[in-house]
Amino acid sequence: MAVARTRSVALVGVTGRSVEVEADVGNGLAGIHLIGLPDTALSEARDRVRSAVVNSTYPWPDARIIVSLFPASLPKRGSQFDLAIAVAILGAAGVVPAERIAEPFFLGELGLDGRIRPVRGVLPSVLGAAKHGDATVIVPSANSAEAALVPDVKVIPVASLRQLVEWLRKGEEAPEPQAEECLEPPTTTTDPAVDLADVVGQPVARRALEVCAAGGHNLWMLGPPGTGKTMLAERLPTLLPDLELDHALEVTAIHSVAGVLPSNAPMMSRPPFVSPHHTATAAAIIGGGSTIVRPGAVSLAHRGVLFMDEAPEFPRHVLDALRQPLESGRVTVSRSAGSVTFPARFMLVLAANPCPCAQAEDQGENCRCSPTVRRRYLGRLSGPLLDRVDMKVTVVRASRRELMADRQFTESSATVAQRVLAARDRAVKRLAGTPWRTNAEVPSSVLHSEYRPSPEAMKPMTSCLDSGTLTARGLDRAVRVSWTLADLADKERPEEEETTAALHFWLGVMS
């Protein structure tokens, strides 16, 4: 009887923390004891591990077994520790060589028959293991494609405990049970079913969508139903370029932790689009959970678009909870067990009707809402929240003649996406050497020092600032939009034409 050690990974948010699993098989009353702050799912691993070992035709030690998870102060949650616990016990019992299990990381949930089932969060777990150098990670076969996305990591997929034990017994010369299709990190390609050319009669809104995509800006669309607000929002991701590799891994890790990563598309190469229902709770939007903290909609929309249709129908405290992630690009969820930080750098798109009855007076319809009801309805979108929205557009109903005339000027998403990509390339060259890649990410201090437009170009904005029409935060956001307009026009710096247009976009709803 001896002590055997192996390693696994615990997830804290989307960060993997290395955990050392020790198993001691010694004298005493037969039984298995887990120590190291395990949760309920992990405590139940005792029965799963014992049945998996016995049903794999390996002897179960008739002795006192103590399994320790180090560091003991780190809470351990989930069933991904099953495989590491089973291997550590078999190593302590002499079934597998103890020296063969000391270095690799083991991830996977055990079935009662010895099968190794897939688990959530494999990608961030493997990323955490990769921090320790040349790591070898044993994962369930169903998670092998996801794990193979991490470079410089030796991934060994296994389907059952018996297959793993036989490989450990044979030594390094034995062929590894690794599928050939998992050797190259797969990527996903998208063929969007929607196109910007489908939206007719809203030239200003289409232009606003292009500017938002080029600079990563937030957008508010106000107008009666049937004018194309939802269609415009759904087509915004088709204008965005593919995610860079580091961003793609970051987005994929979040979806892996949330358990919504498609099995046939392990790498998310396209910006995500998240549209929660207006009955969603604050925990669903921001993130949370009573035991395991899960990412919310703002994190699932990281590096993509968060669309809130019928925004005034959302509870006000849910809308106001968006203010902090809009500013910082991350959200911190605090619970009694600790705090977890998730990335949340997203583009916010709000859509709202002008009043609860949504009848447009300009089309001869009779609105049944009093001015007080209208103010109360739109007042659910607080001033501090709208102050963080870069662009505001009023969407009106178009006549048949306007629809026919505008149809010849519509452009496909591919055409607009090329201009967006060119504008983003200009912004990246200008921001070279900084951690920012879009105009919306540039902080205020740098915006007014290195990237401030000329005094002549700033005249429309400073006059609005003096009159109180524009706030200091609104000034920053208008300047960022003017830089995006300059990038789309292939200009070195914004001129008065760009700053005026940016100001009109910021004041769009109120003009």
Side-chain angles (χ1 to χ4, degrees):
M1 303 299 180
V3 175
R5 297 178 179 84
T6 188
R7 296 190 291 182
S8 188
V9 180
L11 285 177
V12 181
V14 291
T15 303
R17 297 276 301 274
S18 176
V19 173
E20 187 175 282
V21 181
E22 298 178 305
D24 177 26
V25 178
N27 297 325
L29 186 63
I32 178 173
H33 306 275
L34 286 176
I35 57 177
L37 291 183
D39 69 342
T40 303
L42 183 51
S43 298
E44 293 174 348
R46 295 174 295 186
D47 299 322
R48 291 195 298 270
V49 168
R50 188 181 189 281
S51 296
V53 171
V54 172
N55 291 328
S56 299
T57 67
Y58 297 114
W60 181 258
D62 187 16
R64 179 181 175 87
I65 303 173
I66 299 178
V67 177
S68 174
L69 306 176
F70 176 83
S73 59
L74 178 67
K76 322 302 187 303
R77 300 181 177 92
S79 57
Q80 69 269 21
F81 296 95
D82 288 6
L83 189 58
I85 292 173
V87 170
I89 293 175
L90 292 175
V95 178
V96 297
E99 64 276 6
R100 289 271 289 144
I101 64 173
E103 293 300 324
F105 291 83
F106 294 86
L107 301 170
E109 176 183 337
L110 286 174
L112 298 183
D113 57 354
R115 287 181 296 174
I116 301 178
R117 304 179 184 275
V119 293
R120 292 181 175 183
V122 166
L123 178 58
S125 298
V126 177
L127 287 171
K131 298 177 182 178
H132 296 269
D134 296 333
T136 300
V137 185
I138 288 84
V139 300
S141 297
N143 295 127
S144 58
E146 181 183 348
L149 297 174
V150 183
D152 302 326
V153 173
K154 187 178 182 180
V155 178
I156 301 177
V158 289
S160 65
L161 180 62
R162 185 174 184 83
Q163 180 188 19
L164 174 61
V165 171
E166 293 304 314
W167 175 73
L168 291 171
R169 281 177 166 178
K170 291 179 181 178
E172 293 291 345
E173 294 76 14
E176 298 171 359
Q178 184 167 356
E180 294 182 359
E181 63 270 17
C182 300
L183 295 177
E184 293 294 333
T187 58
T188 61
T189 57
T190 57
D191 184 14
V194 295
D195 196 279
L196 188 61
D198 301 333
V199 184
V200 182
Q202 301 296 342
V204 176
R206 293 200 305 269
R207 173 62 173 172
L209 215 65
E210 179 181 348
V211 176
C212 287
H217 305 291
N218 304 320
L219 175 65
W220 179 27
M221 294 180 289
L222 179 68
T227 53
K229 301 188 297 295
T230 302
M231 289 181 64
L232 286 162
E234 290 175 345
R235 282 147 183 80
L236 179 55
T238 65
L239 309 183
L240 299 175
D242 289 342
L243 296 173
E244 299 178 12
L245 180 58
D246 56 341
H247 291 172
L249 290 174
E250 197 175 26
V251 171
T252 306
I254 297 172
H255 285 72
S256 177
V257 170
V260 295
L261 186 66
S263 58
N264 60 343
M267 172 72 87
M268 297 189 62
S269 61
R270 293 292 303 161
F273 178 81
V274 180
S275 179
H277 194 262
H278 67 267
T279 59
T281 63
I285 299 296
I286 303 300
S290 57
T291 55
I292 301 177
V293 179
R294 299 292 187 194
V298 295
S299 297
L300 294 176
H302 182 59
R303 303 295 178 185
V305 179
L306 176 64
F307 175 50
M308 306 190 78
D309 199 5
E310 305 295 341
E313 300 294 340
F314 284 81
R316 179 159 183 168
H317 71 279
V318 173
L319 294 171
D320 286 338
L322 298 173
R323 289 152 55 181
Q324 185 262 341
L326 283 174
E327 286 291 330
S328 62
R330 61 181 181 274
V331 59
T332 300
V333 181
S334 298
R335 294 293 184 267
S336 59
S339 298
V340 177
T341 299
F342 295 107
R345 180 73 65 183
F346 57 91
M347 296 169 57
L348 176 64
V349 178
L350 302 172
N353 295 321
C355 61
C357 75
Q359 299 298 326
E361 291 184 339
D362 58 347
Q363 298 295 325
E365 299 178 1
N366 296 322
C367 177
R368 300 184 298 271
C369 302
S370 65
T372 303
V373 171
R374 288 190 174 195
R375 287 195 300 268
R376 185 181 299 116
Y377 181 72
L378 293 179
R380 299 176 186 176
L381 302 175
S382 65
L385 174 62
L386 295 181
D387 212 28
R388 290 167 169 83
V389 176
D390 306 347
M391 305 176 63
K392 306 177 179 71
V393 176
T394 300
V395 184
V396 297
R397 290 180 180 175
S399 64
R400 182 176 64 88
R401 180 176 297 179
E402 291 171 336
L403 292 175
M404 295 297 294
D406 186 59
R407 193 175 298 276
Q408 59 181 326
F409 297 105
T410 58
E411 296 178 300
S412 65
S413 293
T415 302
V416 180
Q418 291 178 357
R419 296 199 298 265
V420 169
L421 182 60
R424 288 207 170 199
D425 289 340
R426 297 185 189 102
V428 168
K429 292 179 181 178
R430 183 176 63 253
L431 300 173
T434 69
W436 316 298
R437 305 186 188 183
T438 59
N439 294 319
E441 300 176 10
V442 180
S444 176
S445 58
V446 180
L447 192 68
H448 291 287
S449 58
E450 302 179 23
Y451 303 108
R452 185 179 178 86
S454 64
E456 293 76 14
M458 288 291 294
K459 283 182 179 179
M461 296 185 183
T462 53
S463 61
C464 288
L465 186 65
D466 294 337
S467 64
T469 308
L470 195 64
T471 64
R473 182 186 287 117
L475 175 66
D476 294 344
R477 297 192 174 277
V479 171
R480 294 187 182 101
V481 173
S482 68
W483 273 107
T484 302
L485 291 170
D487 290 334
L488 287 169
D490 196 10
K491 295 183 179 180
E492 293 294 332
R493 299 186 72 86
E495 300 176 0
E496 187 173 352
E497 179 183 359
E498 283 72 37
T499 56
T500 302
L503 187 61
H504 288 168
F505 271 127
W506 196 87
L507 301 173
V509 171
M510 294 167 280
S511 59

